[in-house]
Amino acid sequence: MQSYWRLHRYPILFAFVSILFYIAFAYDLVRTDYIKLFMLFGALFYLCTKIIQFEKWNFKFLFVSGILFRLLFLVAVPNLSQDFYRFIWDGELIKNGINPYLFTPDQILEKGEIIIANMEELRNGMSDLNARHYSNYPPVNQLFFAFAALMGGGSVFGSMLVMRLLIVLADIGIVYWGQKLLQNLNLSSHMVFWYFLNPLVIIELTGNLHFEGVMLFFFVAAMYVISKNRWIWATPLYAASIMIKLVPVLFLPMFLKYFGFKKSALFYILVGVFSLVLLLPFYASVFIDNFSETVGLWFSNFEFNASIYNVVKKIAVTYYEAKPWELIKSYGSLIAKLAIGIFLLLALLRKNNTLQASITSMVLALTLYYFMSSTVHPWYVVFLLGISIFTNYRFPLVWSFAVILSYYAYSNPDYKESLPLLAIEYILVMGYFIYEILSNAPKKLYFFKK
């Protein structure tokens, strides 16, 4: 025991201090206190880097630390996001045999015909914006909500606890399959802990109950099965990943050169079939209209933590007297088309003949999309970080720290952002992104190849 302490005393001390900071974050922080939030997050990120540097080959130490940090949030109420109230609301509807895509919370309350457990508490907890719109969470995500509501026994706390345990289990699965995938790609297996111990991941997923990690679990499992040349068996896993958060559907073109035309076509067909099977229990005549209406809001109404969009908006409003509410609708429509173009270009122009090269194209494409997007919530960066560990790019790790600057908006009742802080965030991220592109391209041939 004494010899273990002598060998590992610094990482043990770092882990102990992290425990104290995570407890403070989970139980003694309100999101309006930005200075405290920034200092805790910054300290936790520094401690995370030191723990991994000291113990990167000590799987047991890193794994136990990651589990312990997560368990500290077990009974904490999310303090940076209200989304979990809507998750539980949708789950309670399904538990009562009601399709969550057919009614908004406000419509249900106005009719007064449907009664679900804790409906007043759930409606008061979620934002007014959320309550006015139809659910935009895909079918598999809804099944997790329903499971949490069922196992939670009608209690908000019980449902919250079940969701938290599901998210922790997904992160454990990412460590398991992620290490196997890293080994198959001839990469260092300890890289998975840059995800597993990352404060952004722990706080936004386990702490605030976002399901990006569950989406990533199915995605990583699918990539591992593909790496074992059993790509047909990967299709239901890939479909499940799509049906949690939709993002992986954008990556389908990246497999075209890796699989070849015939295999790609069959892969797409099977993923589509499994996706439809998962969708069928929720299908109704108005499903597509309601779901697409809500998803479309992300392109035409919302803005948060944007980079290029803020520059465009500043120029358009200042010099061309553009109306912001009209600008974002036009911009959103344009960006949706540009994003599709970027994903197709990277699929066709890059030499995606290996799985790692294909995943690298996914990282680059999703990054460029986020740079252009008008809305980049902090938890969006989690998935980008998760897939980047299977490449040689590290700028998403920088982003997982720099995104803390966007949390400043939470300190204001009207969510007013600080453009100088956002400028610092994106200068750091884009600067490191450009540095890695320029330094990696000549020697590793990771960008466009002929």
Side-chain angles (χ1 to χ4, degrees), residues 307-352:
S307 54
I308 293 174
Y309 169 73
N310 274 326
V311 175
V312 171
K313 179 181 176 182
K314 186 70 175 177
I315 294 172
V317 172
T318 303
Y319 298 103
Y320 298 97
E321 299 182 353
K323 297 178 176 62
W325 58 91
E326 293 177 352
L327 174 66
I328 192 170
K329 290 184 179 181
S330 302
Y331 184 87
S333 177
L334 175 64
I335 292 309
K337 297 170 185 174
L338 280 176
I340 294 171
I342 287 172
F343 277 83
L344 290 175
L345 282 174
L346 285 169
L348 297 174
L349 298 182
R350 290 193 76 247
K351 191 176 180 181
N352 300 313

Side-chain angles (χ1 to χ4, degrees), residues 32 34 53 88 90 150 172 215 221 245 317 320 361:
T32 53
Y34 178 70
Q53 286 172 4
I88 299 172
D90 284 2
L150 183 65
I172 292 172
M215 169 177 63
K245 284 283 186 173
V317 172
Y320 298 97
S361 291

Side-chain angles (χ1 to χ4, degrees), residues 6-26:
R6 284 197 299 270
L7 288 172
H8 305 277
R9 61 183 180 275
Y10 290 117
I12 290 172
L13 287 172
F14 294 150
F16 178 73
V17 176
S18 296
I19 287 171
L20 297 179
F21 287 167
Y22 275 121
I23 290 173
F25 205 108

Side-chain angles (χ1 to χ4, degrees), residues 45 48-50 52-53 190-198 201 385 389 397:
F45 196 91
C48 163
T49 62
K50 301 310 292 183
I52 295 176
Q53 286 172 4
H190 79 273
M191 289 303 302
V192 75
F193 289 105
W194 285 110
Y195 168 87
F196 194 63
L197 291 176
N198 194 294
V201 175
L385 171 70
I389 63 176
L397 185 60

